[in-house]
Amino acid sequence: MAKNVSDDNFDDLVIKSDKPVVVDFWAEWCGPCRTLSPIIDEISNEMGDRLEVMKMNIDENPNIPTKFGIRSIPAMMVFKNGQQIDTKVGVLPKNTIIEWLDSKV
């Protein structure tokens, strides 16, 4: 399962992580986000040895999404060595997300 991350613990869990991290930015009211959610959890279970998988509710945590320019959700960002290295927006098939993550981590 993906872990929840907040404005308060983002630096500790994402920026300072020893592993690459993918963050799924989502909201309760977002239908596509609900479609992507089980895929994110599956990816967490399958790739958890190589990367951390986090979810951030943008309604409960407005600061980090604003800082990173999140304008549309669902959005996934990959962070490596404390730096944002790539972003994907929208619902994508699981195999496409895994291929994207494989190319980044």
Side-chain angles (χ1 to χ4, degrees):
M1 292 288 279
K3 301 173 188 169
N4 289 314
V5 63
S6 68
D7 283 342
D8 294 333
N9 63 12
F10 186 86
D11 282 349
D12 289 334
L13 296 179
V14 177
I15 301 301
K16 296 177 183 174
S17 176
D18 293 336
K19 288 183 182 179
V21 181
V22 60
V23 180
D24 170 31
F25 294 92
W26 69 284
E28 290 283 343
W29 48 264
C30 169
C33 298
R34 289 193 302 273
T35 300
L36 185 62
S37 184
I39 296 169
I40 293 295
D41 286 336
E42 288 176 21
I43 289 170
S44 177
N45 292 337
E46 293 172 19
M47 299 184 74
D49 58 332
R50 298 178 40 213
L51 67 118
E52 296 290 341
V53 180
M54 306 283 178
K55 296 177 80 158
M56 177 174 273
N57 183 320
I58 66 162
D59 289 333
E60 296 172 0
N61 302 283
N63 297 335
I64 295 297
T66 299
K67 177 180 177 179
F68 287 99
I70 298 295
R71 302 268 186 263
S72 298
I73 56 171
M76 296 170 284
M77 282 189 180
V78 177
F79 294 83
K80 193 172 184 179
N81 300 322
Q83 300 293 315
Q84 175 200 358
I85 61 169
D86 204 3
T87 304
K88 293 279 187 195
V89 177
V91 177
L92 300 169
K94 180 180 171 182
N95 64 329
T96 302
I97 297 170
I98 289 174
E99 288 173 11
W100 171 61
L101 293 173
D102 279 340
S103 74
K104 302 300 172 188
V105 302

